[in-house]
Amino acid sequence: LSTVLIVKDLWVKYFTSSGVINAVSGVSFSLSRGEMLAVVGESGSGKSTIGYALLNMVPKPGRIVKGEILLDGVNILKLSEEELRKIRGSKISIVFQDPFTTLDPLRKIRDQFIEFLMEHGIDKNNALKIAREYIEAVGLTERVLDSYPHQLSGGQKQRVSIAMAISLNPSVVVADEPTTALDVVVQKQIMDLISDIKRRYSSSFILITHDLALALERADSVMVMYGGYVMEMASKNELAKNMVHPYTKALFESLPRIKQRTLPKYLTGYPPDLRNPPPGCIFHPRCPFASEKCRIMKPELVEISKGHFVACHFAR
Ligand code: ATP
Ligand code: MG
């Protein structure tokens, strides 16, 4: 399988007036064509920041302070604003939780979609053809093109965002909590659509979610984040049968389970203050197994078996 994306030692910080927030700390991973990688973690673990970084659009006061992001072999952190505008949407695109981030409420879908395509060098006739084709590909009818966003349901709007995100056949689609704002039935439909698109077009996805169960159900590989660090990373199959990091296990045990009679166990304590993270392992204040070593020494992310990485002193 060919590799479409390589992220090497990515560091992102927000320089706020009340201190420097270490949002992403030394994250590395790669993504193959047709693969879906889920980035999982609690609120504030740095998931969206990674998503923005992949398009080199970390919002102010944030900045990528170190790292390489190779998209089809090109380090996008070296590109000019002009070059970035060209690749955003065509080589890498993003679908947000709230479709209104992408859609202008005041303009018809048709005009927005065509304009988006024309900005990327497609002529008007072809743009209309492509818009029609992808509106159908996401299970909508052409009539949707004549609508304003407010005339569509949440699920329909998200389908439009997905249609735009895939319409230029990008190498990577980042989907940041694409179903969180939708009701449960529609959530499943949208995830089914994404799975279907992934199969049909061999698209590569970065699925950002706080839901480990969803990640294990849908993704090919999973990266578990905590406080800006990768705690564990493995293929879905490997992780499902062999969770090693105490944080991954805690996340898993906190999931509601229908078939079991036991209540989910909630993770006690709070995520770390990223202005002033704890020394040693960033998870140690909440870890039931933490030892003296964990309080002092930061564990490296080590490969405990092929393709299975864990950052824990007790991983082996
Ligand atoms: P959520 O699940 O809530 O979406 P997340 O995992 O996507 O969380 P991020 O939004 O990437 O997390 O945030 C990582 C850290 O960076 C958090 O501590 C957050 O407060 C901080 N942060 C994010 N955006 C900004 C910003 N624009 N300005 C300052 N700090 C920010
Ligand atoms: Mg987020």
PDB file of all heavy atoms in Angstrom, residues 14-16 21-24 41-50 52 59-62 97 176-177 208 210 272 274-275, ligand 1:
ATOM      1  N   TYR A  14      -0.105  26.825  21.566  1.00  0.00           N
ATOM      2  CA  TYR A  14      -0.907  28.049  21.532  1.00  0.00           C
ATOM      3  C   TYR A  14      -0.264  29.045  22.477  1.00  0.00           C
ATOM      4  O   TYR A  14      -0.121  28.761  23.674  1.00  0.00           O
ATOM      5  CB  TYR A  14      -2.354  27.780  21.950  1.00  0.00           C
ATOM      6  CG  TYR A  14      -3.115  26.938  20.948  1.00  0.00           C
ATOM      7  CD1 TYR A  14      -3.214  25.556  21.103  1.00  0.00           C
ATOM      8  CD2 TYR A  14      -3.731  27.519  19.844  1.00  0.00           C
ATOM      9  CE1 TYR A  14      -3.903  24.779  20.181  1.00  0.00           C
ATOM     10  CE2 TYR A  14      -4.436  26.752  18.919  1.00  0.00           C
ATOM     11  CZ  TYR A  14      -4.517  25.388  19.090  1.00  0.00           C
ATOM     12  OH  TYR A  14      -5.202  24.626  18.181  1.00  0.00           O
ATOM     13  N   PHE A  15       0.122  30.199  21.940  1.00  0.00           N
ATOM     14  CA  PHE A  15       0.806  31.213  22.742  1.00  0.00           C
ATOM     15  C   PHE A  15      -0.235  32.199  23.266  1.00  0.00           C
ATOM     16  O   PHE A  15      -0.457  33.254  22.673  1.00  0.00           O
ATOM     17  CB  PHE A  15       1.881  31.894  21.894  1.00  0.00           C
ATOM     18  CG  PHE A  15       2.966  30.933  21.466  1.00  0.00           C
ATOM     19  CD1 PHE A  15       2.826  30.172  20.302  1.00  0.00           C
ATOM     20  CD2 PHE A  15       4.105  30.754  22.247  1.00  0.00           C
ATOM     21  CE1 PHE A  15       3.805  29.269  19.922  1.00  0.00           C
ATOM     22  CE2 PHE A  15       5.093  29.847  21.863  1.00  0.00           C
ATOM     23  CZ  PHE A  15       4.944  29.102  20.704  1.00  0.00           C
ATOM     24  N   THR A  16      -0.895  31.841  24.365  1.00  0.00           N
ATOM     25  CA  THR A  16      -1.963  32.690  24.904  1.00  0.00           C
ATOM     26  C   THR A  16      -1.381  33.662  25.931  1.00  0.00           C
ATOM     27  O   THR A  16      -0.271  33.470  26.437  1.00  0.00           O
ATOM     28  CB  THR A  16      -3.062  31.854  25.586  1.00  0.00           C
ATOM     29  OG1 THR A  16      -2.558  31.350  26.834  1.00  0.00           O
ATOM     30  CG2 THR A  16      -3.490  30.672  24.719  1.00  0.00           C
ATOM     31  N   ILE A  21       0.287  26.916  25.737  1.00  0.00           N
ATOM     32  CA  ILE A  21      -0.413  25.632  25.825  1.00  0.00           C
ATOM     33  C   ILE A  21       0.266  24.632  24.897  1.00  0.00           C
ATOM     34  O   ILE A  21       0.358  24.859  23.687  1.00  0.00           O
ATOM     35  CB  ILE A  21      -1.893  25.802  25.426  1.00  0.00           C
ATOM     36  CG1 ILE A  21      -2.578  26.755  26.400  1.00  0.00           C
ATOM     37  CG2 ILE A  21      -2.606  24.457  25.391  1.00  0.00           C
ATOM     38  CD1 ILE A  21      -3.999  27.102  26.024  1.00  0.00           C
ATOM     39  N   ASN A  22       0.748  23.544  25.468  1.00  0.00           N
ATOM     40  CA  ASN A  22       1.411  22.509  24.674  1.00  0.00           C
ATOM     41  C   ASN A  22       0.350  21.551  24.148  1.00  0.00           C
ATOM     42  O   ASN A  22       0.037  20.550  24.771  1.00  0.00           O
ATOM     43  CB  ASN A  22       2.432  21.770  25.545  1.00  0.00           C
ATOM     44  CG  ASN A  22       3.485  22.728  26.077  1.00  0.00           C
ATOM     45  OD1 ASN A  22       4.362  23.158  25.343  1.00  0.00           O
ATOM     46  ND2 ASN A  22       3.361  23.103  27.345  1.00  0.00           N
ATOM     47  N   ALA A  23      -0.204  21.892  22.986  1.00  0.00           N
ATOM     48  CA  ALA A  23      -1.385  21.175  22.491  1.00  0.00           C
ATOM     49  C   ALA A  23      -1.033  19.850  21.826  1.00  0.00           C
ATOM     50  O   ALA A  23      -1.759  18.865  21.964  1.00  0.00           O
ATOM     51  CB  ALA A  23      -2.174  22.061  21.527  1.00  0.00           C
ATOM     52  N   VAL A  24       0.068  19.821  21.089  1.00  0.00           N
ATOM     53  CA  VAL A  24       0.496  18.593  20.412  1.00  0.00           C
ATOM     54  C   VAL A  24       1.994  18.445  20.615  1.00  0.00           C
ATOM     55  O   VAL A  24       2.757  19.361  20.319  1.00  0.00           O
ATOM     56  CB  VAL A  24       0.166  18.644  18.893  1.00  0.00           C
ATOM     57  CG1 VAL A  24       0.707  17.405  18.180  1.00  0.00           C
ATOM     58  CG2 VAL A  24      -1.343  18.758  18.667  1.00  0.00           C
ATOM     59  N   GLY A  41      -9.401  10.530  21.814  1.00  0.00           N
ATOM     60  CA  GLY A  41      -8.980  11.060  23.112  1.00  0.00           C
ATOM     61  C   GLY A  41     -10.053  11.953  23.681  1.00  0.00           C
ATOM     62  O   GLY A  41     -10.988  12.344  22.977  1.00  0.00           O
ATOM     63  N   GLU A  42      -9.902  12.273  24.974  1.00  0.00           N
ATOM     64  CA  GLU A  42     -10.871  13.147  25.630  1.00  0.00           C
ATOM     65  C   GLU A  42     -10.769  14.569  25.083  1.00  0.00           C
ATOM     66  O   GLU A  42      -9.819  14.908  24.367  1.00  0.00           O
ATOM     67  CB  GLU A  42     -10.577  13.211  27.132  1.00  0.00           C
ATOM     68  CG  GLU A  42     -10.937  11.973  27.906  1.00  0.00           C
ATOM     69  CD  GLU A  42     -10.348  12.056  29.307  1.00  0.00           C
ATOM     70  OE1 GLU A  42      -9.115  11.985  29.436  1.00  0.00           O
ATOM     71  OE2 GLU A  42     -11.120  12.200  30.253  1.00  0.00           O
ATOM     72  N   SER A  43     -11.717  15.399  25.516  1.00  0.00           N
ATOM     73  CA  SER A  43     -11.690  16.808  25.139  1.00  0.00           C
ATOM     74  C   SER A  43     -10.367  17.434  25.571  1.00  0.00           C
ATOM     75  O   SER A  43      -9.900  17.201  26.684  1.00  0.00           O
ATOM     76  CB  SER A  43     -12.858  17.507  25.817  1.00  0.00           C
ATOM     77  OG  SER A  43     -12.919  18.827  25.390  1.00  0.00           O
ATOM     78  N   GLY A  44      -9.772  18.202  24.681  1.00  0.00           N
ATOM     79  CA  GLY A  44      -8.535  18.903  25.010  1.00  0.00           C
ATOM     80  C   GLY A  44      -7.272  18.093  24.784  1.00  0.00           C
ATOM     81  O   GLY A  44      -6.170  18.544  25.093  1.00  0.00           O
ATOM     82  N   SER A  45      -7.401  16.881  24.213  1.00  0.00           N
ATOM     83  CA  SER A  45      -6.213  16.049  24.045  1.00  0.00           C
ATOM     84  C   SER A  45      -5.386  16.431  22.813  1.00  0.00           C
ATOM     85  O   SER A  45      -4.309  15.877  22.594  1.00  0.00           O
ATOM     86  CB  SER A  45      -6.611  14.569  23.986  1.00  0.00           C
ATOM     87  OG  SER A  45      -7.539  14.336  22.964  1.00  0.00           O
ATOM     88  N   GLY A  46      -5.893  17.363  22.007  1.00  0.00           N
ATOM     89  CA  GLY A  46      -5.111  17.849  20.869  1.00  0.00           C
ATOM     90  C   GLY A  46      -5.553  17.302  19.521  1.00  0.00           C
ATOM     91  O   GLY A  46      -4.877  17.520  18.518  1.00  0.00           O
ATOM     92  N   LYS A  47      -6.708  16.650  19.482  1.00  0.00           N
ATOM     93  CA  LYS A  47      -7.166  16.012  18.247  1.00  0.00           C
ATOM     94  C   LYS A  47      -7.422  17.027  17.133  1.00  0.00           C
ATOM     95  O   LYS A  47      -6.920  16.878  16.026  1.00  0.00           O
ATOM     96  CB  LYS A  47      -8.459  15.213  18.510  1.00  0.00           C
ATOM     97  CG  LYS A  47      -8.367  14.229  19.665  1.00  0.00           C
ATOM     98  CD  LYS A  47      -9.654  13.433  19.833  1.00  0.00           C
ATOM     99  CE  LYS A  47     -10.876  14.264  20.203  1.00  0.00           C
ATOM    100  NZ  LYS A  47     -10.826  14.882  21.545  1.00  0.00           N
ATOM    101  N   SER A  48      -8.226  18.045  17.421  1.00  0.00           N
ATOM    102  CA  SER A  48      -8.542  19.023  16.373  1.00  0.00           C
ATOM    103  C   SER A  48      -7.295  19.792  15.957  1.00  0.00           C
ATOM    104  O   SER A  48      -7.138  20.132  14.778  1.00  0.00           O
ATOM    105  CB  SER A  48      -9.598  20.018  16.870  1.00  0.00           C
ATOM    106  OG  SER A  48     -10.807  19.358  17.083  1.00  0.00           O
ATOM    107  N   THR A  49      -6.420  20.053  16.921  1.00  0.00           N
ATOM    108  CA  THR A  49      -5.181  20.772  16.589  1.00  0.00           C
ATOM    109  C   THR A  49      -4.372  19.976  15.568  1.00  0.00           C
ATOM    110  O   THR A  49      -3.826  20.556  14.619  1.00  0.00           O
ATOM    111  CB  THR A  49      -4.360  21.038  17.871  1.00  0.00           C
ATOM    112  OG1 THR A  49      -5.175  21.775  18.786  1.00  0.00           O
ATOM    113  CG2 THR A  49      -3.103  21.824  17.558  1.00  0.00           C
ATOM    114  N   ILE A  50      -4.327  18.663  15.722  1.00  0.00           N
ATOM    115  CA  ILE A  50      -3.646  17.831  14.725  1.00  0.00           C
ATOM    116  C   ILE A  50      -4.351  17.977  13.377  1.00  0.00           C
ATOM    117  O   ILE A  50      -3.715  18.164  12.337  1.00  0.00           O
ATOM    118  CB  ILE A  50      -3.625  16.346  15.153  1.00  0.00           C
ATOM    119  CG1 ILE A  50      -2.686  16.170  16.342  1.00  0.00           C
ATOM    120  CG2 ILE A  50      -3.188  15.445  13.993  1.00  0.00           C
ATOM    121  CD1 ILE A  50      -2.578  14.739  16.834  1.00  0.00           C
ATOM    122  N   TYR A  52      -6.132  20.485  12.183  1.00  0.00           N
ATOM    123  CA  TYR A  52      -5.779  21.780  11.582  1.00  0.00           C
ATOM    124  C   TYR A  52      -4.340  21.783  11.077  1.00  0.00           C
ATOM    125  O   TYR A  52      -4.049  22.322  10.006  1.00  0.00           O
ATOM    126  CB  TYR A  52      -5.943  22.908  12.607  1.00  0.00           C
ATOM    127  CG  TYR A  52      -7.376  23.235  12.943  1.00  0.00           C
ATOM    128  CD1 TYR A  52      -7.824  23.247  14.262  1.00  0.00           C
ATOM    129  CD2 TYR A  52      -8.286  23.565  11.941  1.00  0.00           C
ATOM    130  CE1 TYR A  52      -9.137  23.560  14.574  1.00  0.00           C
ATOM    131  CE2 TYR A  52      -9.594  23.877  12.236  1.00  0.00           C
ATOM    132  CZ  TYR A  52     -10.018  23.881  13.566  1.00  0.00           C
ATOM    133  OH  TYR A  52     -11.307  24.189  13.856  1.00  0.00           O
ATOM    134  N   PRO A  59      -5.198  27.665  14.046  1.00  0.00           N
ATOM    135  CA  PRO A  59      -5.628  29.050  14.269  1.00  0.00           C
ATOM    136  C   PRO A  59      -4.748  29.781  15.286  1.00  0.00           C
ATOM    137  O   PRO A  59      -4.156  29.166  16.168  1.00  0.00           O
ATOM    138  CB  PRO A  59      -7.050  28.885  14.820  1.00  0.00           C
ATOM    139  CG  PRO A  59      -7.066  27.525  15.439  1.00  0.00           C
ATOM    140  CD  PRO A  59      -6.123  26.683  14.630  1.00  0.00           C
ATOM    141  N   LYS A  60      -4.679  31.084  15.157  1.00  0.00           N
ATOM    142  CA  LYS A  60      -3.967  31.923  16.114  1.00  0.00           C
ATOM    143  C   LYS A  60      -4.626  31.810  17.474  1.00  0.00           C
ATOM    144  O   LYS A  60      -5.845  31.662  17.519  1.00  0.00           O
ATOM    145  CB  LYS A  60      -3.994  33.383  15.648  1.00  0.00           C
ATOM    146  CG  LYS A  60      -2.979  33.634  14.567  1.00  0.00           C
ATOM    147  CD  LYS A  60      -2.731  35.142  14.425  1.00  0.00           C
ATOM    148  CE  LYS A  60      -1.583  35.394  13.509  1.00  0.00           C
ATOM    149  NZ  LYS A  60      -1.958  36.007  12.232  1.00  0.00           N
ATOM    150  N   PRO A  61      -3.930  31.885  18.574  1.00  0.00           N
ATOM    151  CA  PRO A  61      -2.485  32.131  18.709  1.00  0.00           C
ATOM    152  C   PRO A  61      -1.642  30.857  18.624  1.00  0.00           C
ATOM    153  O   PRO A  61      -0.568  30.788  19.207  1.00  0.00           O
ATOM    154  CB  PRO A  61      -2.389  32.753  20.104  1.00  0.00           C
ATOM    155  CG  PRO A  61      -3.483  32.048  20.872  1.00  0.00           C
ATOM    156  CD  PRO A  61      -4.585  31.772  19.880  1.00  0.00           C
ATOM    157  N   GLY A  62      -2.144  29.875  17.859  1.00  0.00           N
ATOM    158  CA  GLY A  62      -1.407  28.620  17.751  1.00  0.00           C
ATOM    159  C   GLY A  62      -0.351  28.664  16.672  1.00  0.00           C
ATOM    160  O   GLY A  62      -0.456  29.448  15.714  1.00  0.00           O
ATOM    161  N   GLN A  97     -17.374  19.239  12.530  1.00  0.00           N
ATOM    162  CA  GLN A  97     -18.542  18.823  13.317  1.00  0.00           C
ATOM    163  C   GLN A  97     -19.774  19.608  12.883  1.00  0.00           C
ATOM    164  O   GLN A  97     -20.840  19.057  12.688  1.00  0.00           O
ATOM    165  CB  GLN A  97     -18.216  19.064  14.788  1.00  0.00           C
ATOM    166  CG  GLN A  97     -19.365  18.818  15.730  1.00  0.00           C
ATOM    167  CD  GLN A  97     -18.929  19.009  17.177  1.00  0.00           C
ATOM    168  OE1 GLN A  97     -17.758  18.841  17.512  1.00  0.00           O
ATOM    169  NE2 GLN A  97     -19.857  19.357  18.020  1.00  0.00           N
ATOM    170  N   ASP A 176     -13.421  15.828  11.424  1.00  0.00           N
ATOM    171  CA  ASP A 176     -13.304  16.173  12.846  1.00  0.00           C
ATOM    172  C   ASP A 176     -14.670  16.047  13.513  1.00  0.00           C
ATOM    173  O   ASP A 176     -15.517  16.921  13.365  1.00  0.00           O
ATOM    174  CB  ASP A 176     -12.761  17.595  12.980  1.00  0.00           C
ATOM    175  CG  ASP A 176     -12.405  17.937  14.424  1.00  0.00           C
ATOM    176  OD1 ASP A 176     -12.720  17.137  15.331  1.00  0.00           O
ATOM    177  OD2 ASP A 176     -11.808  19.008  14.655  1.00  0.00           O
ATOM    178  N   GLU A 177     -14.874  14.969  14.245  1.00  0.00           N
ATOM    179  CA  GLU A 177     -16.162  14.702  14.916  1.00  0.00           C
ATOM    180  C   GLU A 177     -17.324  14.936  13.940  1.00  0.00           C
ATOM    181  O   GLU A 177     -18.244  15.700  14.250  1.00  0.00           O
ATOM    182  CB  GLU A 177     -16.335  15.613  16.144  1.00  0.00           C
ATOM    183  CG  GLU A 177     -15.191  15.569  17.143  1.00  0.00           C
ATOM    184  CD  GLU A 177     -15.396  14.543  18.257  1.00  0.00           C
ATOM    185  OE1 GLU A 177     -16.333  13.724  18.153  1.00  0.00           O
ATOM    186  OE2 GLU A 177     -14.598  14.571  19.207  1.00  0.00           O
ATOM    187  N   ILE A 208     -11.423  11.988  13.449  1.00  0.00           N
ATOM    188  CA  ILE A 208     -11.186  12.524  14.784  1.00  0.00           C
ATOM    189  C   ILE A 208     -12.436  12.285  15.622  1.00  0.00           C
ATOM    190  O   ILE A 208     -13.538  12.671  15.220  1.00  0.00           O
ATOM    191  CB  ILE A 208     -10.857  14.024  14.704  1.00  0.00           C
ATOM    192  CG1 ILE A 208      -9.516  14.215  13.978  1.00  0.00           C
ATOM    193  CG2 ILE A 208     -10.853  14.669  16.077  1.00  0.00           C
ATOM    194  CD1 ILE A 208      -9.136  15.664  13.731  1.00  0.00           C
ATOM    195  N   HIS A 210     -13.968  11.376  19.958  1.00  0.00           N
ATOM    196  CA  HIS A 210     -13.702  11.068  21.363  1.00  0.00           C
ATOM    197  C   HIS A 210     -14.187   9.652  21.694  1.00  0.00           C
ATOM    198  O   HIS A 210     -14.040   9.178  22.794  1.00  0.00           O
ATOM    199  CB  HIS A 210     -14.395  12.093  22.263  1.00  0.00           C
ATOM    200  CG  HIS A 210     -15.879  12.114  22.024  1.00  0.00           C
ATOM    201  ND1 HIS A 210     -16.464  12.921  21.070  1.00  0.00           N
ATOM    202  CD2 HIS A 210     -16.865  11.377  22.556  1.00  0.00           C
ATOM    203  CE1 HIS A 210     -17.759  12.682  21.037  1.00  0.00           C
ATOM    204  NE2 HIS A 210     -18.036  11.746  21.935  1.00  0.00           N
ATOM    205  N   PRO A 272      -4.841  17.008  32.075  1.00  0.00           N
ATOM    206  CA  PRO A 272      -3.777  17.872  32.577  1.00  0.00           C
ATOM    207  C   PRO A 272      -3.923  19.318  32.109  1.00  0.00           C
ATOM    208  O   PRO A 272      -4.546  19.581  31.082  1.00  0.00           O
ATOM    209  CB  PRO A 272      -2.521  17.256  31.958  1.00  0.00           C
ATOM    210  CG  PRO A 272      -3.008  16.572  30.722  1.00  0.00           C
ATOM    211  CD  PRO A 272      -4.372  16.065  31.061  1.00  0.00           C
ATOM    212  N   LEU A 274      -2.382  21.987  30.249  1.00  0.00           N
ATOM    213  CA  LEU A 274      -1.333  21.921  29.227  1.00  0.00           C
ATOM    214  C   LEU A 274      -0.412  23.138  29.230  1.00  0.00           C
ATOM    215  O   LEU A 274       0.549  23.211  28.485  1.00  0.00           O
ATOM    216  CB  LEU A 274      -1.942  21.706  27.844  1.00  0.00           C
ATOM    217  CG  LEU A 274      -2.682  20.368  27.691  1.00  0.00           C
ATOM    218  CD1 LEU A 274      -3.274  20.225  26.310  1.00  0.00           C
ATOM    219  CD2 LEU A 274      -1.764  19.186  27.993  1.00  0.00           C
ATOM    220  N   ARG A 275      -0.725  24.117  30.112  1.00  0.00           N
ATOM    221  CA  ARG A 275       0.231  25.214  30.307  1.00  0.00           C
ATOM    222  C   ARG A 275       1.342  24.773  31.242  1.00  0.00           C
ATOM    223  O   ARG A 275       2.449  25.286  31.210  1.00  0.00           O
ATOM    224  CB  ARG A 275      -0.466  26.427  30.951  1.00  0.00           C
ATOM    225  CG  ARG A 275      -1.419  27.120  30.026  1.00  0.00           C
ATOM    226  CD  ARG A 275      -1.987  28.353  30.705  1.00  0.00           C
ATOM    227  NE  ARG A 275      -2.982  28.950  29.827  1.00  0.00           N
ATOM    228  CZ  ARG A 275      -4.260  28.608  29.810  1.00  0.00           C
ATOM    229  NH1 ARG A 275      -4.723  27.701  30.646  1.00  0.00           N
ATOM    230  NH2 ARG A 275      -5.094  29.183  28.974  1.00  0.00           N
TER     231      ARG A 275
HETATM  232  P1  ATP B   1     -12.334  18.423  21.824  1.00  0.00           P
HETATM  233  O1  ATP B   1     -12.629  16.958  21.964  1.00  0.00           O
HETATM  234  O2  ATP B   1     -12.935  19.240  22.911  1.00  0.00           O
HETATM  235  O3  ATP B   1     -12.644  18.948  20.449  1.00  0.00           O
HETATM  236  P2  ATP B   1      -9.521  18.318  21.085  1.00  0.00           P
HETATM  237  O4  ATP B   1      -8.916  16.989  21.422  1.00  0.00           O
HETATM  238  O5  ATP B   1      -9.933  18.553  19.687  1.00  0.00           O
HETATM  239  O6  ATP B   1     -10.740  18.585  22.075  1.00  0.00           O
HETATM  240  P3  ATP B   1      -7.934  20.712  20.809  1.00  0.00           P
HETATM  241  O7  ATP B   1      -9.070  21.565  20.394  1.00  0.00           O
HETATM  242  O8  ATP B   1      -6.938  20.334  19.785  1.00  0.00           O
HETATM  243  O9  ATP B   1      -8.446  19.402  21.550  1.00  0.00           O
HETATM  244  O10 ATP B   1      -7.199  21.477  22.002  1.00  0.00           O
HETATM  245  C1  ATP B   1      -5.952  21.077  22.541  1.00  0.00           C
HETATM  246  C2  ATP B   1      -5.530  22.103  23.557  1.00  0.00           C
HETATM  247  O11 ATP B   1      -5.266  23.344  22.901  1.00  0.00           O
HETATM  248  C3  ATP B   1      -6.566  22.396  24.631  1.00  0.00           C
HETATM  249  O12 ATP B   1      -5.905  22.614  25.859  1.00  0.00           O
HETATM  250  C4  ATP B   1      -7.219  23.657  24.151  1.00  0.00           C
HETATM  251  O13 ATP B   1      -7.698  24.423  25.220  1.00  0.00           O
HETATM  252  C5  ATP B   1      -6.088  24.375  23.443  1.00  0.00           C
HETATM  253  N1  ATP B   1      -6.579  25.207  22.329  1.00  0.00           N
HETATM  254  C6  ATP B   1      -7.255  24.784  21.236  1.00  0.00           C
HETATM  255  N2  ATP B   1      -7.543  25.812  20.417  1.00  0.00           N
HETATM  256  C7  ATP B   1      -7.050  26.929  21.007  1.00  0.00           C
HETATM  257  C8  ATP B   1      -7.024  28.317  20.666  1.00  0.00           C
HETATM  258  N3  ATP B   1      -7.552  28.774  19.516  1.00  0.00           N
HETATM  259  N4  ATP B   1      -6.435  29.168  21.528  1.00  0.00           N
HETATM  260  C9  ATP B   1      -5.879  28.724  22.665  1.00  0.00           C
HETATM  261  N5  ATP B   1      -5.856  27.443  23.053  1.00  0.00           N
HETATM  262  C10 ATP B   1      -6.432  26.543  22.243  1.00  0.00           C
END
